[in-house]
Structure formats: structure tokens, C-alpha cells
Amino acid sequence: MNPADALPSQDFIRTIIREDLKENRIKGRVHTRFPPEPNGYLHIGHAKSICLNFGIAAEFGGLCNLRFDDTNPIKEEEEFVESIKEDVRWLGFDWEDRLYYASDYFDRLYEYALKLIRKGKAYVDDLTPDQIREYRGTLTEPGRESPCRSRSVEENLDLFERMRSGEFEDGTRVLRAKIDMSSPNLNMRDPVMYRVLHAHHHRTGARWCIYPMYDFTHGQSDSIEGITHSLCTLEFEDHRPLYDWFIKELEIFAPRQIEFARLNLSYTVMSKRKLMELVEGGHVTGWDDPRMPTISGMRRRGYTPESIRNFCERIGVAKRESTVDMGLLEYSVREDLNKRARRVMAVLRPLRVIIDNYPEDRVEYLEAENNPEDPGMGSRTLPFSRELFIERDDFREDPPRKFFRLAPGREVRLKHAYYIRCEQVVKDEQTGEVTELHCTYDPETRGGWSEDGRKVRGTLHWVSAPHSIGAQVRLYDHLFLRPDPEGDRDGSDFKDHLNPRSLETLTTCRVEPGLREARPEVSFQFLRLGYFCVDSVDSSPQKPVFNRTVTLRDTWAKLEKKQKRPQQKGKGKKAV
RNA sequence: UGGGGUGUCGUCAAGUGGUAAGACACGGGCCUUUGGAGCCCGCAUUCGGAGGUUCGAAUCCUCCCACCCCAGCCA
């Protein structure tokens, strides 16, 4: 049985491939490719394409190549090819020995161009860029033919060779396909195939001073590699007739191009240009800033490859343009991390608690499970002493309705430890700020359980003050305030919608001692708070830094919000 | 007002003539030593609109409307 038949994926692309297979159009072979241009870092939108291409190949028992479409030496850099390779690998995909570059095909592409010239299907044009634009016509008016269009094959051959040998300045001559200047599809109005560019290429160096255009490269590259299905985004839909024309005139293998909608995500931007602008404008710390939707940023933030792959599967593939709710991405990480992250305790905004009836110099080691979802992950031991820290948010002098946490006279459970009761609140005389709490503990409740069936609604996380270690914690929020920051309908720039509080840095956090050994890319659940991981760039054993990947679902926060804004008209949709 | 696409729940998305899957979100309940997780229930009489064909239409036909892409020697 075909493995794909067992899978539920019903998107239109897989349906087409299944039909191609059934009707034997492709001789049972499925071959795809992921073709990035090495001019920036990969983002979650690329992940969709990577999962699609590699995923389909795997499902249909086929292959998927990694190919860099590096036809523009001015924009492309080695740094980007390295980061792209790393990201694809990290996502869990393997191109084995099939790593290619469009620049590998420069010689062949040159031969292809010669072939079209000899067939009278291509010519060298002397028009300036401005003139070419003028001659192209408009959306509603046909274009005009260039005076150079009727040059002889011999002259074209000679001129093209002289373009190649460096006789002409940049921008002075191009090679064009001779198709139809009155086509309603602008891509067919004698598109440029080659331009003169005296630029150093990251792979071919100074060997060439003419470079093929993407449109004259991509389809042929796919053809050369025997790609059966060229999956690309919607904007290339009306380039398809051009690619088909080249393939037909060149008489080479014809891949089938299928276009799908690119991914958009709420509260962020996805275009390389905009991401680049954020980096260069210093709005983020780099391509791998944990707030960026880049693969490297997400990796640093604590996202797992599995969660990204699951997300890509969940969003599906279709032709309609859409914007996926960021909440779905967050759901995907939580789902994955819930199963695999070790639970630990960390106090982000510490409030000192003194257990008055606990012996001054005593230290107990309490057992704590590492993950209630997976007993196989074992347990660890936690120091408990007379002085503790709890979260400031977990104490309210004047508790609102349904607040189950600590308050004067109230009893709560300290996770894995004891029940404690708040006996006294100490405040700063000047500011009125609560500085510490005096509590008593019930020795009969060791482990956080009492025989008498006493009801204790609240369970708090805590750390032992003398044993805990200091840490910095970075809390991230949406990079943008608006679900659709690109919407510049009102003339605003997308950067006007940056969230000024997308990063909150907490420097006085206290975490349990075991976290000293934490390594990057290993996630923890800070109990009751969220998922966190060590920052791969700024953390050190002396000064640990943690990134918050995502919060836990917080029904109390939701409830409290609702209590504060009781009556609301309709769905409360605000006109942002 | 040229060409190419797309319109199904708040957001994604199945469905391809037989009477609207699923996921997230949302609402309610159960459970709980994370107000986490888990579990249960609810959530489009309707598929951009209007006509038509048909016993029967989201699916076929006609017209209309809305939105996206294309005038780089970018990809």
C-alpha cells in the first residue's frame, strides 16, 4: 500500500500527486525540492514549505532536494546558506547527498540560452532599463517590440558571447526571450533571461559577469534535477506559462508546478524585507532574537522542531490566502512541551516568607516528581528551609473573589512540601510595600497532604531562599500590538505597531538549585508559570538567563480580567 | 475598464451532486498536590450574493460582488 493512503492529509497538492501516480504520469516517482534564496534567514513560513516538500517526499516514498536559488550575487551570502542548512537540519529533515545550487547549473543555463538564440527565440536587447519598462506596456495596453528584436541569430550569438566575456557595462544589454509583446500576461512580454552584472558570486566568484534571471533558472533547475512536483507560492502562478514555454522550447523534462498560499501569522510579520528592517533598525537584537518568527529565533526561544512540524501539519495547505492565529502556534508548543518538559520551580518576583515555627538551622530534602505526565522521568529532591521565596502574585492582602492563593490568615499548600498559614504581613513603613510574610507550617502535612481531609484550594510554587540561585528571566510577548501589523491601510508603517513591551527582563528571579546545570534547547516547565529554556547566547553558569517560550494557560488571569470588565457589548471586538 | 487566482464557523480547514469533518479559539461541566494537563458537553439549518438546472446543490450553469497577485536588468 502506498504510505500516503494511510495518512489523513487531504490537501489539494497530495490529491494531485495521488492522481498523477494513479494515472502513471510520473512513472511512480515523486521528487520535490526546497529552493530558498540565500539572502536571509528562514522563518516559520519557510518551515511550512520545508514540511510540505520533505513531508510529501517521505509520504510517497520519494526524495526531496535542498537547492539554493542563488542567481543574484548582489544579495546572496555564504552566511545565509549556512544558517539555512542548519535550520532545515534542526527541523528534522535530511537532504542526504542532494544539496544543490542553481549556480551549479550556470554552464548549462548558458547552453540553454544559446539554444534559444539559435532557434530564433531569444535576442540581445540594447534598450535601457527605463526603455524596457516603457516598451513593456501596461496592464491594459500591449507592449511594443524592441528595435533589437529582429537581430539575426549570428549577431545575437556574437553579442551574447561579448556580454559573457565582459565587454559591456552593467545594465547596458540583456538577453530576452522572444515571445509576445502583446500578451495579457506581462511575464510573456519578452522577459529578460540574462543581465550583465560585474559582481562577485559567493560560489562562482568572478567567473561570470552575466547572471541568469530567476525566471530563466528556476524551472530549468527543477527540470535538471528531475523534480516531479515544483511546489511554490501563489505569486508564481502567472509565471507558470513562461516556465512551461522555456521547458517546451528547450525540449527538456517538464516538472509540474503547483502553487499554494504562503503562511501569515497574526501579531507578526513574515516578509524577509520587513524582518531585515527590524534587525537593521535595532528593533530586535538580531535574526535570532527570540521574538522573531525566524527558525533561529524560535529555536532560541525554546520552540521544538516537533512543535513546529505539528503546527505546519495542523494549518494545512490551500490556495486561499489566510492568517493563522498565533494561538495555534502557542498551542502546538505547549502540547509538545507538556509531554517532555521537566517541571521545576522558579520564583520570578520573589516575596520572602519566614516559617516562624520551622527550626532555624534545619534543612529537609523533599521529593518532587519531574513530570506528572510521565512517571518515567523520575523525581528529584528539593531543599526546604525556614526562609523561602514565593511569587508576589501569589499573595494578596485583600484577596478578590475566587482568589485561592495566600492572604492573611489563609492556608495554602506549598507544592511537594507543607501547608503554610499566613500569620503576619510585614511592610515597608515608607512605601507600604509588602516586604515579607511570617507564616507557620503544619508538620503533619509533609509532602503537601493532610490526613484529616482538610480542603486547601491553593497550591503555590516556591524555592528555599538560601539554596535557590539567582537568575535573569526574559518574558516575551507578541512583537506587534495588532493582529495584522502590515495593514497599512491608514498609511501607517508596520513598525508603528511594534509592541513596546514585547520583552520584559526580570533580574531578581530565584530558581531551584538544580537549574545550574541547565543547557540551551532543553525546555523546563517553571511550575504554574510557563515553559522556559536557557538562552543560548547570554546565559552562563555564573549568571543564568532563561527565556520564556510560552506561558501556561492561565484561567485565573482570564477570570480576573473578566471580573474587572464585567459588562461588555457584543464580542468585545475592538477596532484596533 | 488586461491577465491570473481566491471566497465554507472568530481563525485555519475538509467536502468534488445525496443533505456541512476536524483543529485552535470561545462557553459550560467533571477532575486535579501546577487555577497546568486530562475528560465530557455546546458551538455554521448553512457554504460571498442573486437567479437557474435537479427529486436533491457548498458542490453543475449564468450573472454579479469582494479580496489577492502581475507593469524588477528581485526571487
Side-chain angles (χ1 to χ4, degrees):
Chain A
M1 185 173 82
N2 189 309
D5 295 336
L7 290 159
S9 265
Q10 276 302 312
D11 61 75
F12 77 105
I13 295 177
R14 282 174 243 249
T15 302
I16 290 172
I17 294 175
R18 236 173 262 129
E19 280 165 9
D20 284 350
L21 247 15
K22 200 192 308 168
E23 289 163 25
N24 207 238
R25 276 195 282 262
I26 47 176
K27 299 186 191 127
R29 192 174 64 85
V30 173
H31 206 329
T32 56
R33 102 268 93 127
F34 172 60
E37 182 193 11
N39 70 342
Y41 283 70
L42 258 29
H43 53 63
I44 181 77
H46 294 109
K48 174 181 178 178
S49 174
I50 293 166
C51 292
L52 221 210
N53 280 293
F54 280 93
I56 281 176
E59 282 166 44
F60 290 94
L63 299 169
C64 180
N65 300 352
L66 174 61
R67 183 182 71 241
F68 289 96
D69 272 342
D70 53 353
T71 54
N72 186 348
I74 293 163
K75 291 190 184 173
E76 294 145 8
E77 293 171 27
E78 188 60 26
E79 176 197 349
F80 296 130
V81 347
E82 287 314 314
S83 79
I84 289 169
K85 281 155 69 175
E86 182 188 357
D87 288 349
V88 174
R89 233 182 268 121
W90 179 78
L91 278 172
F93 299 102
D94 186 4
W95 55 85
E96 299 173 313
D97 58 347
R98 297 178 311 284
L99 170 64
Y100 303 118
Y101 295 81
S103 53
D104 291 342
Y105 311 136
F106 281 175
D107 288 298
R108 266 167 105 172
L109 259 3
Y110 184 77
E111 291 301 321
Y112 286 156
L114 255 21
K115 177 166 183 173
L116 291 186
I117 294 172
R118 290 196 197 96
K119 285 181 78 172
K121 301 287 188 178
Y123 63 98
V124 172
D125 199 348
D126 308 345
L127 257 29
T128 66
D130 280 347
Q131 287 173 317
I132 287 183
R133 193 183 323 118
E134 274 175 49
Y135 274 68
R136 187 152 32 224
T138 69
L139 294 178
T140 50
E141 301 154 25
R144 282 143 48 216
E145 296 185 350
S146 163
C148 306
R149 202 176 199 259
S150 50
R151 280 215 250 246
S152 69
V153 168
E154 290 65 36
E155 193 183 359
N156 282 320
L157 251 15
D158 173 60
L159 252 15
F160 187 48
E161 163 57 25
R162 286 159 62 194
M163 277 171 65
R164 194 198 60 86
S165 65
E167 193 172 316
F168 306 120
E169 299 286 296
D170 288 7
T172 54
R173 277 188 170 79
V174 291
L175 182 71
R176 290 232 252 171
K178 193 189 287 187
I179 309 180
D180 177 6
M181 287 309 290
S182 63
S183 170
N185 181 347
L186 305 221
N187 294 122
M188 302 299 272
R189 320 243 262 227
D190 290 11
V192 173
M193 292 162 57
Y194 267 91
R195 74 284 219 188
V196 177
L197 236 38
H198 291 267
H200 180 272
H201 186 278
H202 74 111
R203 299 200 82 229
T204 60
R207 205 155 85 74
W208 296 90
C209 62
I210 57 170
Y211 290 92
M213 297 290 291
Y214 173 85
D215 278 351
F216 188 66
T217 306
H218 191 82
Q220 289 94 303
S221 300
D222 282 345
S223 176
I224 289 167
E225 293 176 20
I227 301 304
T228 57
H229 300 271
S230 306
L231 313 182
C232 65
T233 43
L234 258 23
E235 67 270 28
F236 294 106
E237 207 147 13
D238 40 43
H239 291 238
R240 184 165 13 112
L242 208 211
Y243 303 159
D244 290 345
W245 186 89
F246 283 135
I247 294 289
K248 180 166 161 282
E249 294 298 337
L250 260 12
E251 300 162 84
I252 55 179
F253 172 76
R256 194 219 285 214
Q257 173 170 306
I258 305 170
E259 308 85 8
F260 63 93
R262 56 165 13 118
L263 170 66
N264 293 297
L265 250 193
S266 59
Y267 296 102
T268 190
V269 293
M270 210 68 93
S271 85
K272 273 189 203 169
R273 194 212 96 213
K274 286 183 172 127
L275 294 175
M276 176 93 72
E277 217 176 314
L278 293 176
V279 172
E280 290 180 347
H283 298 98
V284 293
T285 58
W287 286 97
D288 66 346
D289 186 299
R291 293 166 293 183
M292 293 281 272
T294 51
I295 303 301
S296 50
M298 293 173 72
R299 173 167 59 234
R300 188 171 164 193
R301 171 94 169 239
Y303 275 82
T304 56
E306 288 78 3
S307 67
I308 294 174
R309 281 190 250 122
N310 290 341
F311 170 75
C312 290
E313 189 168 316
R314 252 190 280 259
I315 58 175
V317 190
K319 292 196 75 160
R320 98 179 60 128
E321 298 202 46
S322 58
T323 301
V324 174
D325 193 332
M326 179 67 90
L328 188 59
L329 218 208
E330 294 174 346
Y331 170 84
S332 298
V333 233
R334 284 195 193 101
E335 175 192 52
D336 187 40
L337 261 19
N338 175 52
K339 288 179 296 190
R340 68 207 306 166
R342 294 169 61 119
R343 272 61 171 172
V344 295
M345 293 202 281
V347 175
L348 266 31
R349 298 175 179 88
L351 173 59
R352 185 174 296 272
V353 167
I354 295 136
I355 312 292
D356 289 328
N357 60 341
Y358 195 87
E360 198 110 16
D361 48 8
R362 185 162 161 207
V363 177
E364 284 182 82
Y365 286 87
L366 304 165
E367 191 179 358
E369 61 189 345
N370 286 329
N371 188 345
E373 299 292 317
D374 180 4
M377 287 176 75
S379 62
R380 67 194 184 286
T381 228
L382 244 32
F384 183 87
S385 67
R386 181 180 152 92
E387 288 202 18
L388 313 170
F389 288 119
I390 65 165
E391 208 68 63
R392 287 201 97 88
D393 284 353
D394 285 339
F395 173 78
R396 285 290 237 294
E397 209 176 358
D398 185 17
R401 263 171 55 76
K402 295 198 175 166
F403 183 84
F404 305 147
R405 282 111 96 145
L406 202 58
R410 290 246 194 120
E411 187 174 54
V412 296
R413 168 168 42 238
L414 293 182
K415 180 80 175 174
H416 306 307
Y418 293 98
Y419 290 178
I420 61 167
R421 180 182 301 281
C422 176
E423 308 289 358
Q424 194 198 145
V425 181
V426 181
K427 295 192 216 175
D428 182 300
E429 282 177 18
Q430 305 302 121
T431 65
E433 186 198 21
V434 176
T435 54
E436 60 183 40
L437 264 26
H438 283 267
C439 298
T440 52
Y441 87 115
D442 179 349
E444 300 303 308
T445 59
R446 188 185 157 112
W449 192 254
S450 78
E451 292 296 322
D452 60 10
R454 217 181 320 161
K455 268 268 190 299
V456 175
R457 291 289 310 258
T459 300
L460 311 188
H461 58 276
W462 54 276
V463 293
S464 164
H467 301 91
S468 65
I469 57 181
Q472 182 187 112
V473 172
R474 297 170 180 175
L475 306 181
Y476 299 104
D477 196 358
H478 299 324
L479 229 199
F480 291 89
L481 295 165
R482 285 191 188 191
D484 178 13
E486 335 214 5
D488 18 21
R489 350 158 233 279
D490 52 3
S492 62
D493 183 86
F494 77 101
K495 294 190 296 308
D496 296 342
H497 309 300
L498 277 162
N499 178 5
R501 283 183 288 279
S502 59
L503 166 61
E504 184 181 1
T505 303
L506 269 22
T507 55
T508 57
C509 311
R510 308 295 306 182
V511 303
E512 62 172 74
L515 250 20
R516 185 161 267 136
E517 278 89 61
R519 298 271 80 91
E521 289 192 53
V522 176
S523 292
F524 296 92
Q525 185 193 97
F526 285 5
L527 222 63
R528 302 207 304 135
L529 297 172
Y531 296 98
F532 296 75
C533 69
V534 166
D535 186 84
S536 55
V537 176
D538 299 322
S539 194
S540 67
Q542 297 72 244
K543 197 172 167 293
V545 177
F546 291 91
N547 293 322
R548 183 174 70 193
T549 311
V550 67
T551 61
L552 249 28
R553 276 185 62 213
D554 190 345
T555 33
W556 162 244
K558 208 187 285 179
L559 223 183
E560 196 182 25
K561 217 171 173 181
K562 223 193 286 181
Q563 285 177 355
K564 277 183 184 160
R565 302 181 305 162
Q567 80 288 62
Q568 229 179 17
K569 295 175 218 135
K571 296 276 268 186
K573 268 219 148 187
K574 64 243 180 241
V576 275

